[in-house]
């Protein structure tokens, strides 16, 4: 079995659920208590990509609000892929996620593979995103409606990114 280490960075506004989606993916847990990430948190989980290859995902989660440009540049440097996270109940977080992607690509000087997770699908009745907005974004990059709380589609989203950055 070929094990390929791949660095993934989580990007998204404050409180969209970056830390929660990583916790769901890495340890299948969820907490309602909001604890701001301090500095950078790095977790790992391996996922099979095909019969011969496993991706060892090294997942970086950084405190969003403290990200000054230089810090963010250092954070995304060397990343193989980005997990963009938005909160479906806050429209502004959607545009932010796409902006952060463009900025990261500029920093790295190349288009980084990315997947967009729209989190808090358990609150879908409060979502502020129109079907047109979602359809349009879905044509630009793989988009998953997820819930870190219930676990819905979190695993699928990370596996999709793993597939993108290993193939
Ligand atoms: P981060 O700042 O982007 O890392 O966000 P967190 O992961 O810390 O989550 C922010 C808040 O949203 C916390 O209170 C979480 O419990 C809550 N949260 C995260 N994911 C979900 C979800 O899927 N559904 C709901 N209802 N709340 C969530």
């Amino acid at each position: 079995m070929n094990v390929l280490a791949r660095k993934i960075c989580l990007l998204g506004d404050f409180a969209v659920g970056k830390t929660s989606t990583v916790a769901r993916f890495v340890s299948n847990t969820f907490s309602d208590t909001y604890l701001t990430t301090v500095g950078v948190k790095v977790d790992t989980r391996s996922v099979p990509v095909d019969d011969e290859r496993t991706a060892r995902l090294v997942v970086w989660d950084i405190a969003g609000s403290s990200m000054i440009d230089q810090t963010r540049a250092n954070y995304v440097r060397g990343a193989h892929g980005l997990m963009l996270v938005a909160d479906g109940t806050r429209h502004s977080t959607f545009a932010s996620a796409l902006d952060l992607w463009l900025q990261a690509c500029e920093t790295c000087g190349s288009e980084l593979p990315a997947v967009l997770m729209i989190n808090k699908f358990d609150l879908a009745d409060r979502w502020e995103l129109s079907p047109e907005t979602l359809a349009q974004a879905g044509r630009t990059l793989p988009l998953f409606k997820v819930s870190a709380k219930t676990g819905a589609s979190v695993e699928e989203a990370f596996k999709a990114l793993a597939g993108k950055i290993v193939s």
Side-chain angles (χ1 to χ4, degrees):
M1 182 65 77
N2 224 344
V3 179
L4 307 157
R6 291 289 184 267
K7 175 178 173 180
I8 289 179
C9 290
L10 274 281
L11 284 180
D13 271 353
F14 179 73
V16 291
K18 297 181 294 299
T19 303
S20 300
T21 50
V22 174
R24 174 60 72 191
F25 176 60
V26 172
S27 53
N28 203 18
T29 53
F30 178 78
S31 165
D32 268 316
T33 317
Y34 185 62
L35 294 174
T36 309
T37 308
V38 177
V40 181
K41 194 168 179 302
V42 181
D43 283 293
T44 60
R45 185 180 153 191
S46 295
V47 291
V49 175
D50 53 33
D51 288 348
E52 276 137 39
R53 294 171 306 167
T54 292
R56 182 169 182 272
L57 300 179
V58 182
V59 184
W60 290 49
D61 176 19
I62 192 171
S65 53
S66 72
M67 265 204 270
I68 54 168
D69 287 352
Q70 191 52 45
T71 310
R72 188 162 42 213
N74 290 334
Y75 170 64
V76 297
R77 200 156 286 138
H80 298 95
L82 302 175
M83 183 58 88
L84 311 174
V85 190
D87 173 348
T89 68
R90 285 185 292 147
H91 192 276
S92 63
T93 65
F94 178 76
S96 288
L98 298 177
D99 274 356
L100 289 167
W101 180 31
L102 294 179
Q103 285 170 29
C105 294
E106 225 165 87
T107 299
C108 296
S110 63
E111 185 172 323
L112 287 169
V115 164
L116 173 61
M117 287 199 291
I118 309 196
N119 188 34
K120 310 198 184 178
F121 196 50
D122 52 291
L123 305 175
D125 54 334
R126 284 198 243 151
W127 274 31
E128 294 179 344
L129 299 166
S130 69
E132 294 74 33
T133 304
L134 293 174
Q136 200 182 350
R139 285 193 286 274
T140 311
L141 78 183
L143 182 154
F144 291 83
K145 299 174 195 173
V146 312
S147 169
K149 188 166 187 168
T150 66
S153 298
V154 171
E155 177 120 1
E156 287 81 349
F158 277 96
K159 285 185 171 164
L161 185 56
K164 249 181 155 237
I165 60 184
V166 163
S167 60

